[in-house]
Amino acid sequence: MRLEVDGTPLEVSPQPGQVLRTLLREHGVTSVKKGCDAGDCGACTVLVDQVPVHSCITPAHRLEGRTVTTAAGLGTPEDPHPVQRAFAEAPGFQCGFCTAGFVVTASTLTEDDLADRHRKLKGNLCRCTGYRAIEDALDGVANTTCAAPGAAIGTSVAAPAARRIVTGREEYTLDVPSDGLRRTEALLHLAVLGSPHPHARITAIDTTEASALPGVHAVLTHHDDPGVLFSTGRHESRLDDPDDTRVLDPVLRFRGQRVAAVVADSVRIAEQACALVRVEYEVLDSVHDPDAARRPGAPLLHGDKTTAEHRIAEPARNVVASLHGGTGDVEAALSASAATVDGVWTTGRVSHAALETHATRGWVDPDGRLVLRTATQVPFLVRDEIARVFSLDPARVRVVAKRVGGGFGGKQELLTEDLVTLAVLRTGRTVQFEFSRRDEFTVAPTRHPMRVRVRLGADADGTLTALHVDQTMDTGAYGNHGIGVMFHSVSESVAVYRCPVKRVDAESVYTNNLPSGAFRGYGLGQVVFAIESAMDELARELGLDPVEFRRRNVVVPGDPLVVTDPHEQSDLQWEGSYGLDQCLDLVEDALAGPLPEVPRMDGPVLDGPGLDGPGLDGPGLDGPADWAFGTGVALAAIATMPPRGHHAHTSVELLPRGRYRIGVGTAEFGNGTTTVHTQLVATALGTTPDRVDVHQSDTDAARHDTGAFGSAGVVVAGRALYAAAQALRKDLTDRALALVAARTPRTASGVLGPAVSVEPEGVRVGDELVGHAELLAEGPLVAHASHDGTPRSLAFTVHGARVAVHRPTGEVRILQSVQAVDAGTVLNPEQLRGQVEGGAAQAIGSTLYEEVVLDATGRVTTDAFRSYRVPKISDVPRTQVLFAETSDPLGPLGAKSMSEAPYNPVAPAVANAVRDAIGIRPYRLPMTRDRVWALLADATDAGGA
């Protein structure tokens, strides 16, 4: 069969049932991405005879004689299509994995289509941006600029990869060039047989038939397990997580857990062989509720393990971690309070829904090293644990992460690398393992579901007197992040308020549900939802304005940060850059102004005076009688980097022709650290970011880097890089001075201070320019620096929302979304704006739409995008982003981290607005239409009774 792809004739022989996406990628067309393989996300969009189609559901055999155009065929980085140029300059991407599909679809839109863009783009999902930047690209709005030499900080420079991303040329994990040992025809594929039971023991397993299937190279079972316990959750110290996991375990603790893995010539053969593995199980009792799991007689998930050896708090109670403590007598303080609130809030499971699924390709290089090219946020931590589990020398393991298609904490795990390592070591061949979208929903860890009881008390003047948080979280079958998330969830969320009496009771509990893990905010979002909702309700009890009530009770410089122990020592030093007061003021002022343009969205019609565009004066809302209107606010605090150390070792080297190369271990997955790293180095070295080459997220690129999580890419690795660049600047000037002094001693001796400058073309000493070639003739010029992540600071966010609630259906429409952030020095305004918008959009998803639903036996019932609702472009309002004016002495050039923080205050702000609108407090997330409708119906029934 012949077809034309991006202008090149191609002769192919599709397999029976093969789709266009896999056919294209088999022939090296990597600009087509896999996001869902179900026609739901649009990452695979191509043009067939100039008509956009989802190639993942387009039968390949229908392409006889057709013309296929991908993003790579629309334009090149040097000569992009006008739409690609617009997406690069907006910039209409963050991780960029969805961008090729968006660009292809957008290239077909006419002027009339742009007016109906929400419907035209309903088949394309973006998890990162919040869509505003994509709409700017559609409207031709350019938000990026070029920086002058040495003046990159504070400018919205474009990402170094911008044009490669929009033209489909940027490499992601499995976009591997077909060269040497990595050519695709030598590639083996891995598939997994998952457990059909939530709790069972394998009593017999027969792989004879599976092994005999032509094309099968290995069938791996628990008999092949290396016998080393570990945790899939990765931290700087591996002791932060319990050792409760095996590569292949004879005891199965959740549905879908690995029973066996098959390595074969193709995914299809591997899956066929999985069906031929014969397994006998002893089905064990299972427990799916964390309260039931702690009761006497409950099935024990890890009862064979101990606290001392495996770091599980109470294996006999299924408790992974616990915290019970406080200061003062909370019961007495609540009894003496003028007003109290007592409520229980629950949050559901949320999928990270990064469009690039977990994937790893592994091989042995010519030097005999194991190489893993993988979608990870933590390449060094993966290397170290792989070496430990398989008894390898870490120096004989290399882990590389190319650009990662979204993370949000979900790739701070070791989910595919261990099986690929086992398969490579067994076969000696190149092996690839790629999660399906169903795997992402049914096997990959989710955000921890929590039940949080909050009791609050205050005196008549509105001063807090008591705060009690009782939190239970379901960590699922394994404790990856189950310790850290629990402790973090009740840290800044509690410490942000000044209160003389506090108590925290928190437990992280094993169940036979799929594991939970790291997720944006790392547990804070769930507890902040409860505390901020309780604060809002207490303000109502006292008759106080909710913003003013918070002002009276938030910590201010000089206050201790107390969770349970007022004498606890902390490395947090936040008094020098406090912006919470500004954030409260900025949001309060924004909510007092006119509404922005109300977005046109699917669903019930919302129109009326003041609701058809700008011009509604003041915070009071009015509209059609079947809509109720309300306003809400919430705040959150978060440490600017993870506790107990976060390390980065970096280097900066001068290259010929005035370019610089930086070596840094942190990964890029839409967090924007790569852009900021080039800005920091360019500023220190008097050049422009486009002259800075980046070698990153590769264990060969640096001595060590803890990884890209906890928003540490800028404040840890960035600070180390800036220090390395400053050290290199000194080396450059010292060498230039020496060279000039050797030629003209008297002239050089009088040249000091301002007369020496580093410029794009060299170092100027007085009137003489010492070029890079002369500087390098004396030997290499490279500088190193590191940072250990201490001490830490605090960042603050405040979110405000105005909503309309449709009483007949329960639909919640966000009319205004505004967030003020205390991010210190704003290094790249457009990029920071995008991080806030993206965090807010993701939070709106988990507030109103998203939930991974399990049945009573632990089976996931929302295993595709069509049943798990990631917000579309029509679902997300524009979030107005406001910056407090602060500068943090601990961050690079005064910057704070701001990737996780924007997520945390959104849910309570929207919930408080819903409460304001309908007079009923929502206690459960997500606030889907049916749940809000039920709240209204119950209130109506109660009133009628």
Side-chain angles (χ1 to χ4, degrees), residues 335-420:
S335 297
S337 299
T340 61
V341 166
D342 185 345
V344 178
W345 284 265
T346 61
T347 62
R349 287 176 181 80
V350 180
S351 172
H352 303 84
L355 287 191
E356 183 189 34
T357 62
H358 290 83
T360 300
R361 181 178 290 190
W363 64 91
V364 177
D365 72 11
D367 294 327
R369 283 200 305 174
L370 172 68
V371 181
L372 299 174
R373 176 164 164 151
T374 187
T376 183
Q377 298 172 225
V378 287
F380 288 83
L381 305 189
V382 167
R383 177 199 64 185
D384 293 348
E385 196 67 359
I386 287 292
R388 175 184 168 272
V389 170
F390 292 94
S391 300
L392 302 172
D393 180 353
R396 306 299 296 163
V397 181
R398 179 187 179 192
V399 176
V400 181
K402 302 301 288 185
R403 192 177 187 92
V404 178
F408 318 113
K411 290 166 183 169
Q412 193 188 338
E413 303 272 357
L414 201 157
L415 299 180
T416 53
E417 297 89 349
D418 57 333
L419 267 184
V420 169

Side-chain angles (χ1 to χ4, degrees), residues 820-854:
V821 300
D822 171 23
T825 301
V826 179
L827 303 179
N828 187 312
E830 179 59 24
Q831 188 167 276
L832 176 56
R833 179 187 180 189
Q835 286 294 303
V836 177
E837 292 171 330
Q842 192 172 37
I844 287 169
S846 54
T847 299
L848 297 179
Y849 309 117
E850 298 180 46
E851 184 173 20
V852 176
V853 178
L854 276 61

Side-chain angles (χ1 to χ4, degrees), residues 67-347:
T67 298
V68 176
T69 306
T70 75
L74 288 176
T76 66
E78 298 73 27
D79 184 22
H81 184 281
V83 168
Q84 292 171 324
R85 186 185 303 275
F87 268 76
E89 294 176 350
F93 65 88
Q94 284 183 22
C95 85
F97 198 77
C98 71
T99 307
F102 262 104
V103 163
V104 168
T105 304
S107 71
T108 68
L109 300 182
T110 65
E111 287 296 325
D112 290 340
D113 290 335
L114 289 175
D116 194 27
R117 63 185 62 176
H118 287 182
R119 294 188 186 278
K120 295 294 183 179
L121 291 170
K122 66 182 180 181
N124 292 80
L125 295 178
C126 175
R127 189 53 157 170
C128 299
T129 64
Y131 296 105
R132 185 276 309 166
I134 290 173
E135 296 213 50
D136 278 0
L138 296 174
D139 292 330
V141 177
N143 298 303
T144 56
T145 187
C146 296
I153 294 302
T155 62
S156 296
V157 301
R163 289 202 173 189
R164 296 195 302 274
I165 288 169
V166 301
T167 57
R169 261 70 171 191
E170 180 72 352
E171 284 188 19
Y172 292 83
T173 305
L174 299 184
D175 299 338
V176 182
S178 298
D179 59 350
L181 289 174
R182 297 178 291 174
R183 61 180 188 268
T184 54
E185 60 265 28
L187 183 65
L188 301 182
H189 295 268
L190 189 149
V192 168
L193 173 66
S195 172
H197 306 292
H199 201 189
R201 179 178 288 106
I202 299 172
T203 58
I205 187 164
D206 184 351
T207 63
T208 305
E209 286 186 72
S211 299
L213 188 69
V216 170
H217 293 260
V219 181
L220 307 171
T221 72
H222 63 275
H223 298 298
D224 302 290
D225 179 78
V228 178
L229 286 165
F230 66 101
S231 174
T232 63
R234 308 308 322 132
H235 289 99
E236 173 64 27
S237 171
R238 67 170 314 280
L239 302 181
D240 285 353
D241 301 285
D243 283 332
D244 60 4
T245 304
R246 296 183 184 276
V247 177
L248 288 160
D249 198 324
V251 179
L252 309 166
R253 298 176 175 89
F254 72 100
R255 289 184 182 274
Q257 182 175 334
R258 304 164 178 173
V259 173
V262 175
V263 185
D265 288 336
S266 69
V267 174
R268 178 177 296 188
I269 294 172
E271 291 176 343
Q272 290 172 346
C274 283
L276 298 177
V277 176
R278 306 305 176 201
V279 188
E280 295 179 15
Y281 302 96
E282 176 192 354
V283 178
L284 306 174
D285 291 339
S286 62
V287 60
H288 300 276
D289 176 78
D291 288 333
R294 290 177 291 179
R295 294 179 189 138
L300 297 180
L301 276 80
H302 297 278
D304 58 332
K305 301 178 179 70
T306 67
T307 301
E309 183 179 358
H310 304 100
R311 300 180 299 284
I312 300 171
E314 298 179 70
R317 290 183 60 236
N318 286 320
V319 173
V320 187
S322 63
L323 173 63
H324 299 282
T327 175
D329 187 335
V330 71
E331 301 299 337
L334 286 168
S335 297
S337 299
T340 61
V341 166
D342 185 345
V344 178
W345 284 265
T346 61
T347 62

Side-chain angles (χ1 to χ4, degrees), residues 37 41 64 230 473 545 689 907:
D37 274 354
C41 76
E64 173 73 47
F230 66 101
M473 73 181 211
D545 174 80

